[in-house]
Short mmCIF file of all heavy atoms in Angstrom, two decimals:
data_model
loop_
_atom_site.label_atom_id
_atom_site.label_comp_id
_atom_site.label_asym_id
_atom_site.label_seq_id
_atom_site.Cartn_x
_atom_site.Cartn_y
_atom_site.Cartn_z
N GLY M 1 -6.79 -3.61 -45.27
CA GLY M 1 -6.94 -2.28 -45.60
C GLY M 1 -6.09 -1.36 -44.80
O GLY M 1 -6.17 -0.18 -44.91
N PHE M 2 -5.13 -1.80 -44.05
CA PHE M 2 -4.30 -0.97 -43.24
C PHE M 2 -3.10 -0.39 -44.09
O PHE M 2 -2.64 0.76 -43.83
CB PHE M 2 -3.71 -1.76 -42.05
CG PHE M 2 -4.68 -2.35 -41.19
CD1 PHE M 2 -4.40 -3.56 -40.53
CD2 PHE M 2 -5.97 -1.87 -40.98
CE1 PHE M 2 -5.42 -4.06 -39.66
CE2 PHE M 2 -6.95 -2.38 -40.13
CZ PHE M 2 -6.57 -3.60 -39.40
N VAL M 3 -2.58 -1.20 -45.00
CA VAL M 3 -1.56 -0.82 -45.95
C VAL M 3 -2.21 -0.59 -47.28
O VAL M 3 -3.05 -1.55 -47.79
CB VAL M 3 -0.44 -1.82 -45.98
CG1 VAL M 3 0.66 -1.48 -46.96
CG2 VAL M 3 0.15 -2.05 -44.52
N TYR M 4 -1.74 0.40 -47.99
CA TYR M 4 -2.41 0.56 -49.30
C TYR M 4 -1.29 1.31 -50.29
O TYR M 4 -0.37 1.78 -49.83
CB TYR M 4 -3.67 1.44 -49.31
CG TYR M 4 -3.49 2.72 -48.44
CD1 TYR M 4 -3.07 3.84 -49.06
CD2 TYR M 4 -3.56 2.80 -47.08
CE1 TYR M 4 -2.84 5.10 -48.39
CE2 TYR M 4 -3.38 4.01 -46.30
CZ TYR M 4 -3.03 5.03 -47.04
OH TYR M 4 -2.78 6.27 -46.23
N TYR M 5 -1.71 1.19 -51.56
CA TYR M 5 -0.93 1.80 -52.61
C TYR M 5 -1.38 3.24 -52.83
O TYR M 5 -2.56 3.46 -53.05
CB TYR M 5 -0.98 1.01 -53.87
CG TYR M 5 -0.29 1.64 -55.11
CD1 TYR M 5 1.08 1.92 -55.05
CD2 TYR M 5 -0.94 1.81 -56.29
CE1 TYR M 5 1.71 2.44 -56.05
CE2 TYR M 5 -0.32 2.26 -57.36
CZ TYR M 5 0.96 2.56 -57.27
OH TYR M 5 1.78 3.15 -58.35
N ASP M 6 -0.49 4.20 -52.76
CA ASP M 6 -0.97 5.62 -52.80
C ASP M 6 0.11 6.40 -53.68
O ASP M 6 0.91 7.07 -53.15
CB ASP M 6 -0.96 6.22 -51.31
CG ASP M 6 -1.44 7.70 -51.31
OD1 ASP M 6 -2.20 8.02 -52.30
OD2 ASP M 6 -1.28 8.34 -50.29
N PRO M 7 0.00 6.21 -54.97
CA PRO M 7 0.97 6.75 -55.93
C PRO M 7 0.78 8.27 -56.10
O PRO M 7 -0.28 8.88 -55.88
CB PRO M 7 0.71 6.06 -57.18
CG PRO M 7 -0.79 5.73 -57.13
CD PRO M 7 -1.01 5.47 -55.77
N GLY M 8 1.86 8.98 -56.56
CA GLY M 8 1.69 10.38 -56.91
C GLY M 8 2.49 10.47 -58.30
O GLY M 8 3.69 11.11 -58.18
N ILE M 9 2.05 9.99 -59.36
CA ILE M 9 2.79 10.00 -60.57
C ILE M 9 2.19 11.08 -61.46
O ILE M 9 1.04 11.11 -61.58
CB ILE M 9 2.71 8.64 -61.29
CG1 ILE M 9 3.12 7.46 -60.28
CG2 ILE M 9 3.46 8.58 -62.49
CD1 ILE M 9 2.79 6.13 -60.81
N LYS M 10 3.04 11.84 -62.06
CA LYS M 10 2.62 13.00 -62.93
C LYS M 10 3.29 12.98 -64.19
O LYS M 10 4.53 12.60 -64.29
CB LYS M 10 2.61 14.26 -62.28
CG LYS M 10 4.05 14.85 -61.91
CD LYS M 10 3.88 16.17 -61.20
CE LYS M 10 5.34 16.65 -60.86
NZ LYS M 10 5.28 18.05 -60.26
N LEU M 11 2.67 13.39 -65.28
CA LEU M 11 3.32 13.55 -66.59
C LEU M 11 2.95 14.93 -67.07
O LEU M 11 1.80 15.16 -67.60
CB LEU M 11 2.76 12.42 -67.53
CG LEU M 11 3.27 12.45 -68.92
CD1 LEU M 11 4.75 12.07 -68.85
CD2 LEU M 11 2.58 11.46 -69.73
N GLU M 12 3.89 15.80 -67.07
CA GLU M 12 3.82 17.25 -67.60
C GLU M 12 4.15 17.20 -69.03
O GLU M 12 4.86 16.37 -69.51
CB GLU M 12 4.66 18.11 -66.77
CG GLU M 12 4.27 18.29 -65.40
CD GLU M 12 5.18 19.15 -64.48
OE1 GLU M 12 6.40 19.21 -64.77
OE2 GLU M 12 4.72 19.84 -63.45
N ASN M 13 3.53 18.09 -69.86
CA ASN M 13 3.72 18.18 -71.25
C ASN M 13 3.36 16.83 -71.82
O ASN M 13 4.06 16.20 -72.57
CB ASN M 13 5.19 18.51 -71.58
CG ASN M 13 5.64 19.86 -71.14
OD1 ASN M 13 4.78 20.84 -71.09
ND2 ASN M 13 6.79 19.94 -70.52
N ALA M 14 2.14 16.35 -71.42
CA ALA M 14 1.81 15.07 -71.72
C ALA M 14 1.60 14.84 -73.27
O ALA M 14 1.67 13.70 -73.75
CB ALA M 14 0.44 14.73 -70.96
N SER M 15 1.29 15.90 -73.99
CA SER M 15 1.16 15.77 -75.38
C SER M 15 2.36 15.58 -76.15
O SER M 15 2.48 15.19 -77.32
CB SER M 15 0.43 17.03 -75.93
OG SER M 15 1.23 18.22 -75.64
N ASN M 16 3.51 15.84 -75.52
CA ASN M 16 4.78 15.58 -76.07
C ASN M 16 5.25 14.13 -75.91
O ASN M 16 5.27 13.69 -74.76
CB ASN M 16 5.89 16.53 -75.48
CG ASN M 16 7.21 16.35 -76.06
OD1 ASN M 16 7.57 15.51 -76.67
ND2 ASN M 16 8.09 17.35 -75.75
N PRO M 17 5.39 13.46 -76.91
CA PRO M 17 5.78 11.89 -76.89
C PRO M 17 7.05 11.71 -76.10
O PRO M 17 7.25 10.53 -75.74
CB PRO M 17 5.78 11.46 -78.33
CG PRO M 17 6.03 12.69 -79.10
CD PRO M 17 5.27 13.77 -78.35
N LYS M 18 7.96 12.75 -75.95
CA LYS M 18 9.14 12.52 -75.30
C LYS M 18 9.17 13.00 -73.80
O LYS M 18 10.19 12.99 -73.16
CB LYS M 18 10.24 13.35 -76.07
CG LYS M 18 10.57 12.73 -77.42
CD LYS M 18 11.63 13.50 -78.12
CE LYS M 18 12.00 12.90 -79.52
NZ LYS M 18 13.14 13.62 -80.13
N SER M 19 8.01 13.32 -73.35
CA SER M 19 7.96 13.80 -71.95
C SER M 19 8.21 12.75 -70.98
O SER M 19 7.84 11.59 -71.19
CB SER M 19 6.51 14.44 -71.71
OG SER M 19 5.54 13.46 -71.82
N VAL M 20 8.91 12.99 -69.91
CA VAL M 20 9.34 12.07 -68.92
C VAL M 20 8.48 12.25 -67.65
O VAL M 20 8.36 13.36 -67.13
CB VAL M 20 10.76 12.25 -68.60
CG1 VAL M 20 11.15 11.18 -67.54
CG2 VAL M 20 11.58 12.03 -69.82
N PRO M 21 7.82 11.19 -67.19
CA PRO M 21 6.97 11.29 -65.95
C PRO M 21 7.75 11.39 -64.62
O PRO M 21 8.88 10.90 -64.63
CB PRO M 21 6.22 10.08 -65.92
CG PRO M 21 7.04 9.02 -66.65
CD PRO M 21 7.77 9.86 -67.68
N LYS M 22 7.23 12.03 -63.64
CA LYS M 22 7.84 12.06 -62.36
C LYS M 22 7.16 10.91 -61.59
O LYS M 22 5.93 10.87 -61.39
CB LYS M 22 7.58 13.35 -61.60
CG LYS M 22 8.19 13.38 -60.20
CD LYS M 22 7.86 14.75 -59.63
CE LYS M 22 8.59 14.71 -58.08
NZ LYS M 22 8.33 16.05 -57.44
N LYS M 23 7.96 9.95 -61.21
CA LYS M 23 7.60 8.70 -60.50
C LYS M 23 7.46 8.78 -59.03
O LYS M 23 8.37 9.23 -58.40
CB LYS M 23 8.40 7.52 -60.96
CG LYS M 23 8.54 7.40 -62.48
CD LYS M 23 9.59 6.26 -62.85
CE LYS M 23 9.81 6.10 -64.38
NZ LYS M 23 10.87 5.18 -64.68
N ARG M 24 6.43 8.20 -58.55
CA ARG M 24 6.36 8.09 -57.10
C ARG M 24 5.30 6.91 -56.79
O ARG M 24 4.04 7.23 -56.58
CB ARG M 24 6.03 9.32 -56.42
CG ARG M 24 6.11 9.23 -54.90
CD ARG M 24 5.79 10.58 -54.21
NE ARG M 24 4.25 10.87 -54.17
CZ ARG M 24 3.76 11.83 -53.67
NH1 ARG M 24 4.39 12.87 -53.16
NH2 ARG M 24 2.33 12.01 -53.82
N SER M 25 5.75 5.76 -56.64
CA SER M 25 4.87 4.59 -56.34
C SER M 25 5.23 4.25 -54.84
O SER M 25 6.35 3.76 -54.49
CB SER M 25 5.28 3.37 -57.21
OG SER M 25 4.91 3.58 -58.50
N GLN M 26 4.21 4.59 -54.00
CA GLN M 26 4.52 4.47 -52.56
C GLN M 26 3.38 3.54 -51.94
O GLN M 26 2.27 3.74 -52.29
CB GLN M 26 4.72 5.68 -51.87
CG GLN M 26 3.58 6.65 -52.04
CD GLN M 26 3.79 7.95 -51.33
OE1 GLN M 26 4.87 8.34 -50.93
NE2 GLN M 26 2.80 8.93 -51.31
N PHE M 27 3.86 2.73 -50.95
CA PHE M 27 2.99 1.97 -50.10
C PHE M 27 2.91 2.64 -48.77
O PHE M 27 4.00 2.84 -48.17
CB PHE M 27 3.33 0.50 -50.00
CG PHE M 27 3.12 -0.22 -51.34
CD1 PHE M 27 3.97 -0.28 -52.38
CD2 PHE M 27 2.04 -0.94 -51.46
CE1 PHE M 27 3.75 -0.98 -53.54
CE2 PHE M 27 1.76 -1.62 -52.59
CZ PHE M 27 2.59 -1.64 -53.60
N ARG M 28 1.73 2.93 -48.18
CA ARG M 28 1.61 3.75 -47.02
C ARG M 28 0.78 2.92 -46.00
O ARG M 28 0.06 2.02 -46.38
CB ARG M 28 1.05 5.01 -47.26
CG ARG M 28 1.64 5.80 -48.45
CD ARG M 28 1.14 7.19 -48.58
NE ARG M 28 1.77 8.16 -47.67
CZ ARG M 28 1.42 9.40 -47.52
NH1 ARG M 28 0.38 9.80 -48.16
NH2 ARG M 28 2.05 10.27 -46.71
N VAL M 29 0.84 3.34 -44.75
CA VAL M 29 0.05 2.73 -43.76
C VAL M 29 -0.54 3.76 -42.95
O VAL M 29 -0.07 4.88 -42.65
CB VAL M 29 0.98 1.86 -42.84
CG1 VAL M 29 2.01 2.71 -42.05
CG2 VAL M 29 0.10 1.04 -41.69
N ASN M 30 -1.92 3.58 -42.62
CA ASN M 30 -2.61 4.38 -41.66
C ASN M 30 -1.91 4.30 -40.34
O ASN M 30 -1.82 3.19 -39.80
CB ASN M 30 -4.02 4.01 -41.61
CG ASN M 30 -4.89 4.92 -40.72
OD1 ASN M 30 -4.51 5.44 -39.72
ND2 ASN M 30 -6.15 5.12 -41.14
N HIS M 31 -1.41 5.40 -39.83
CA HIS M 31 -0.47 5.33 -38.64
C HIS M 31 -1.06 4.57 -37.43
O HIS M 31 -0.37 3.89 -36.67
CB HIS M 31 -0.06 6.74 -38.16
CG HIS M 31 1.14 6.72 -37.45
ND1 HIS M 31 2.44 6.74 -38.03
CD2 HIS M 31 1.34 6.69 -36.10
CE1 HIS M 31 3.29 6.70 -37.05
NE2 HIS M 31 2.74 6.67 -35.84
N LYS M 32 -2.34 4.68 -37.28
CA LYS M 32 -2.99 4.01 -36.04
C LYS M 32 -2.91 2.50 -36.19
O LYS M 32 -3.25 1.80 -35.18
CB LYS M 32 -4.41 4.47 -35.88
CG LYS M 32 -5.32 4.28 -36.91
CD LYS M 32 -6.78 4.71 -36.60
CE LYS M 32 -7.78 4.36 -37.62
NZ LYS M 32 -9.06 4.96 -37.33
N HIS M 33 -2.65 1.97 -37.41
CA HIS M 33 -2.58 0.56 -37.63
C HIS M 33 -1.26 0.01 -37.70
O HIS M 33 -1.00 -1.11 -38.27
CB HIS M 33 -3.37 0.19 -38.81
CG HIS M 33 -4.89 0.40 -38.75
ND1 HIS M 33 -5.69 -0.02 -37.74
CD2 HIS M 33 -5.84 1.12 -39.58
CE1 HIS M 33 -6.87 0.31 -37.89
NE2 HIS M 33 -6.96 1.05 -38.96
N LEU M 34 -0.18 0.76 -37.27
CA LEU M 34 1.19 0.29 -37.25
C LEU M 34 1.38 -1.09 -36.54
O LEU M 34 2.16 -1.93 -36.90
CB LEU M 34 2.15 1.35 -36.58
CG LEU M 34 2.71 2.35 -37.47
CD1 LEU M 34 3.61 3.24 -36.62
CD2 LEU M 34 3.57 1.80 -38.60
N ASN M 35 0.50 -1.24 -35.47
CA ASN M 35 0.61 -2.48 -34.72
C ASN M 35 0.41 -3.79 -35.49
O ASN M 35 0.83 -4.91 -35.16
CB ASN M 35 -0.28 -2.40 -33.51
CG ASN M 35 -1.81 -2.34 -34.00
OD1 ASN M 35 -2.12 -1.47 -34.68
ND2 ASN M 35 -2.58 -3.21 -33.40
N ALA M 36 -0.31 -3.49 -36.74
CA ALA M 36 -0.64 -4.74 -37.51
C ALA M 36 0.58 -5.24 -38.20
O ALA M 36 0.55 -6.41 -38.74
CB ALA M 36 -1.77 -4.42 -38.52
N LEU M 37 1.66 -4.45 -38.26
CA LEU M 37 2.85 -4.79 -39.06
C LEU M 37 3.96 -5.38 -38.11
O LEU M 37 4.94 -5.71 -38.69
CB LEU M 37 3.34 -3.50 -39.81
CG LEU M 37 2.51 -2.95 -40.83
CD1 LEU M 37 3.07 -1.79 -41.50
CD2 LEU M 37 1.95 -4.08 -41.83
N TYR M 38 3.77 -5.31 -36.83
CA TYR M 38 4.87 -5.71 -35.96
C TYR M 38 4.30 -6.66 -34.86
O TYR M 38 3.22 -6.68 -34.46
CB TYR M 38 5.46 -4.59 -35.23
CG TYR M 38 6.16 -3.61 -36.16
CD1 TYR M 38 5.52 -2.48 -36.68
CD2 TYR M 38 7.50 -3.87 -36.72
CE1 TYR M 38 6.13 -1.63 -37.62
CE2 TYR M 38 8.13 -2.98 -37.49
CZ TYR M 38 7.38 -1.94 -37.96
OH TYR M 38 8.04 -1.13 -38.87
N LYS M 39 5.07 -7.67 -34.50
CA LYS M 39 4.79 -8.51 -33.46
C LYS M 39 4.65 -7.82 -32.03
O LYS M 39 3.94 -8.29 -31.23
CB LYS M 39 5.78 -9.63 -33.35
CG LYS M 39 5.84 -10.55 -34.56
CD LYS M 39 6.76 -11.69 -34.41
CE LYS M 39 6.61 -12.69 -35.62
NZ LYS M 39 7.44 -12.24 -36.75
N GLU M 40 5.42 -6.81 -32.00
CA GLU M 40 5.28 -5.88 -30.75
C GLU M 40 5.59 -4.50 -31.17
O GLU M 40 6.54 -4.11 -31.91
CB GLU M 40 6.41 -6.24 -29.74
CG GLU M 40 6.38 -5.51 -28.46
CD GLU M 40 7.35 -5.92 -27.36
OE1 GLU M 40 8.28 -6.78 -27.72
OE2 GLU M 40 7.32 -5.52 -26.22
N LEU M 41 4.60 -3.62 -30.69
CA LEU M 41 4.71 -2.15 -30.92
C LEU M 41 4.56 -1.42 -29.59
O LEU M 41 3.57 -1.54 -28.91
CB LEU M 41 3.64 -1.73 -31.92
CG LEU M 41 3.72 -0.16 -32.32
CD1 LEU M 41 4.90 0.15 -33.21
CD2 LEU M 41 2.48 0.32 -33.00
N GLU M 42 5.66 -0.83 -29.17
CA GLU M 42 5.83 -0.13 -27.85
C GLU M 42 5.62 1.33 -28.07
O GLU M 42 6.11 1.92 -28.95
CB GLU M 42 7.17 -0.45 -27.18
CG GLU M 42 7.40 -1.87 -26.94
CD GLU M 42 8.81 -2.01 -26.29
OE1 GLU M 42 9.02 -1.74 -25.13
OE2 GLU M 42 9.64 -2.32 -27.14
N PHE M 43 4.86 1.92 -27.07
CA PHE M 43 4.64 3.34 -27.09
C PHE M 43 5.52 3.85 -25.89
O PHE M 43 5.23 3.51 -24.79
CB PHE M 43 3.21 3.77 -26.92
CG PHE M 43 2.38 3.41 -28.13
CD1 PHE M 43 1.74 2.12 -28.18
CD2 PHE M 43 2.08 4.34 -29.05
CE1 PHE M 43 1.03 1.70 -29.25
CE2 PHE M 43 1.29 3.97 -30.22
CZ PHE M 43 0.80 2.57 -30.28
N ILE M 44 6.52 4.60 -26.15
CA ILE M 44 7.47 4.97 -25.21
C ILE M 44 7.65 6.55 -25.09
O ILE M 44 7.82 7.18 -26.18
CB ILE M 44 8.90 4.40 -25.51
CG1 ILE M 44 8.79 2.84 -25.62
CG2 ILE M 44 10.00 4.84 -24.53
CD1 ILE M 44 10.02 2.12 -26.04
N ASN M 45 7.67 7.00 -23.94
CA ASN M 45 8.02 8.43 -23.60
C ASN M 45 9.46 8.53 -23.30
O ASN M 45 9.81 8.07 -22.14
CB ASN M 45 7.17 9.03 -22.55
CG ASN M 45 7.51 10.50 -22.19
OD1 ASN M 45 8.34 11.04 -22.90
ND2 ASN M 45 6.71 11.07 -21.29
N VAL M 46 10.35 8.96 -24.16
CA VAL M 46 11.82 8.97 -23.97
C VAL M 46 12.21 9.88 -22.87
O VAL M 46 13.25 9.81 -22.28
CB VAL M 46 12.63 9.17 -25.18
CG1 VAL M 46 12.40 8.03 -26.24
CG2 VAL M 46 12.29 10.59 -25.80
N ALA M 47 11.28 10.95 -22.53
CA ALA M 47 11.64 11.79 -21.46
C ALA M 47 11.16 11.35 -20.01
O ALA M 47 11.39 12.12 -19.05
CB ALA M 47 10.91 13.19 -21.85
#
């Protein structure tokens, strides 16, 4: 459940058979769970 599918697809003028959807299929991660995707996750203060 750390990574999920979070689309934002819309179809304006939906009643028009020729209307073209705006596509956005995205996979996202809850930022606090980034460590689940890497063998090593470092928190670094560059300053």
Side-chain angles (χ1 to χ4, degrees):
F2 304 149
V3 177
Y4 52 91
Y5 176 54
D6 187 19
I9 307 170
K10 66 179 181 180
L11 182 65
E12 296 175 329
N13 301 315
S15 60
N16 183 343
K18 294 184 179 181
S19 61
V20 178
K22 182 178 180 181
K23 304 174 184 178
R24 191 180 71 181
S25 290
Q26 57 186 6
F27 287 85
R28 312 183 84 187
V29 62
N30 187 322
H31 199 87
K32 67 181 179 181
H33 293 307
L34 271 179
N35 63 310
L37 298 178
Y38 296 97
K39 295 183 173 80
E40 183 176 6
L41 185 69
E42 300 177 78
F43 295 85
I44 299 171
N45 179 357
V46 296

